[in-house]
Amino acid sequence: MLNFIDTVGEAVADIKDGSTVMIGGFGNAGQPFELIDALLDSGATDLTVVNNNAGQGDQGLALLIKEGRVRKMICSFPRQSDSWHFDTKFKAGEIELELVPQGNLAERIRAAGAGIGAFFTPTGYGTMLAEGKETRLLDGKWQVFETPIHADVALIKALKADRKGNLVYRKTARNFGPIMAAAAKHTIAQVSEIVPIGALDPENVVTPGIYVNSIVKVA
Amino acid sequence: MSIQTNVQTSATPLGRDELAALVARDIAPGSFVNLGIGQPTLVSNYLSEEQNITLHTENGMLGMGPEAHGDEIDGDLINAGKIPVTELPGASYFHHADSFAIMRGGHLDICVLGAFQVSATGDLANWHTGAPDAIPAVGGAMDLATGAKDVFVMMTLLTRDGASKLVEQCSYPLTGVGCVTRVYTDKAVFLTGPDGVSVRETFGCTLEELQALVPVPLKAVAAVGV
């Protein structure tokens, strides 16, 4: 069921404490700042957040972490020059970190959306990030057992939606949007523009509307 | 060409830009290449138009152009180091799982990475110092190391304290096992693999002088014209 929602506050109102929330974006590109701000205002807490990073500066995901709403981060690259809110929480032992190689992060999200129970990959073999994981020699390469990452909700940013929920993105802001939309039980997309049915060339649709539940236009 | 004991091709060690230019010359025409953050990024300054190299950035683009300046800067168009970049004609965008499938599926010809250490058999350590208070961050390093057909490392041969970064076994946490094929340093180009380390050329030192700096057995290979 697809809903067009008037405000970001209403769009995130049903996100419950303890949820696993995927948040699109790589750095600031594609990060749905308005939805994240609304999630902060909603008061939802004890969240597990899946994102490539762990927030930059004093905005978006960084503020969610600063305010203590995030119990656990699943990400590939938390440490940046301006990731001070994550750094503080991590050093104080107030946030859990599951560090995942970036390609494993993407593939585990994709696998969740595609109904794949698990997969083997050479990435990470022989490293501390594969410690304790099952390994197998497949096609002449040692490979590591990895499981999908599912989520209750995905918050993503796209350029345009049509009235069927089909999405197109802009340049490298696409990043995690399409795979998170498929992996979450409930996907909320903020878009810059909502266009009529037929206004998007079907050949160019990136995320089919079947993966999208709520759309909110953000100026 | 016969095996030489002296493969010195430069009277002095190479600077960062000279090394970047050497790596750029060694990339075969038509290659699909990923340049890591830091020193490897310099390589793009020396790729010629005739080489027709396509650059991949793991956040979801092929056909990446040079860094953006002024009016070109667009927050939706960045590279893996989160620096604003430009797009070249023929560029393409794709989502993150597709972008990493390009690496993980073995489609990239070459990736060029920085390193803390490389072992004699091509193990790579470049993501974590292992310090107990360090916040670990891996990004795409393990995927790049494992997926590209050839992994080139660019680094200074010695640490600030004079220790060789080419080592028998890495003491830092590994990024990948047996993945590095070539190591470009200010003092020499090394070829690494299951049979140990060969020296393709040296800069500002003889093979014997190089051997005195490096704790792994070195053998010379015939210098390759570049």
Side-chain angles (χ1 to χ4, degrees), chain A residues 26-27 29-30 52-53 76-80 86-87 90-91 97 99-104 106-107 110 119 121-129 141 170-176 178-179, chain B residues 37 57-61 74-82 87 93-98 100-101 104 127-128 133-143 146-147 173-177:
Chain A
F26 176 87
N52 187 63
N53 304 101
S76 85
F77 208 82
R79 184 194 65 231
Q80 300 185 91
F86 176 82
D87 298 1
F90 185 75
K91 285 182 173 163
L97 171 65
L99 187 73
V100 183
Q102 204 168 331
N104 282 359
E107 192 62 16
R110 195 195 72 81
F119 59 91
T121 175
T123 296
Y125 175 76
T127 75
M128 59 190 265
L129 296 187
K141 283 184 185 170
R170 189 164 178 277
K171 301 184 186 285
T172 58
R174 181 184 304 191
N175 57 65
F176 285 92
I179 53 175
Chain B
I37 297 167
T57 182
E58 58 261 38
N59 51 317
M61 180 187 195
D74 178 340
D76 286 343
L77 180 46
I78 59 174
N79 67 12
K82 306 188 175 76
E87 70 181 31
Y93 296 108
F94 27 81
H95 66 62
H96 237 77
D98 279 350
F100 278 82
R104 294 154 71 96
W127 74 281
H128 190 18
D133 61 338
I135 297 173
V138 64
M142 291 183 180
D143 303 283
T146 309
L174 290 186
T175 308
V177 177

Side-chain angles (χ1 to χ4, degrees), chain A residues 5 14 17 29 48 64 67 81 88 93 95 117 122 167 185 187 192 197 200 210 212:
Chain A
I5 295 173
D14 292 335
D17 292 354
T48 295
L64 210 56
E67 296 302 325
S81 59
T88 303
I95 194 165
L167 303 180
K185 288 184 202 130
T187 293
S192 303
I197 289 173
L200 296 181
I210 191 169
V212 183

Side-chain angles (χ1 to χ4, degrees), chain A residues 34-117:
Chain A
E34 288 81 357
L35 284 172
I36 301 169
D37 289 345
L39 181 60
L40 186 63
D41 291 341
S42 80
T45 192
D46 196 31
L47 303 172
T48 295
V49 171
V50 184
N51 181 262
N52 187 63
N53 304 101
Q56 290 86 227
D58 286 293
Q59 56 179 346
L61 175 55
L63 291 184
L64 210 56
I65 290 169
K66 180 192 175 193
E67 296 302 325
R69 307 297 174 73
V70 182
R71 182 182 65 77
K72 178 180 179 183
M73 271 308 311
I74 302 176
C75 68
S76 85
F77 208 82
R79 184 194 65 231
Q80 300 185 91
S81 59
D82 56 354
S83 61
W84 43 74
H85 292 307
F86 176 82
D87 298 1
T88 303
K89 291 283 179 195
F90 185 75
K91 285 182 173 163
E94 290 169 3
I95 194 165
E96 191 183 333
L97 171 65
E98 180 179 345
L99 187 73
V100 183
Q102 204 168 331
N104 282 359
L105 185 68
E107 192 62 16
R108 290 175 64 191
I109 294 168
R110 195 195 72 81
I116 291 168

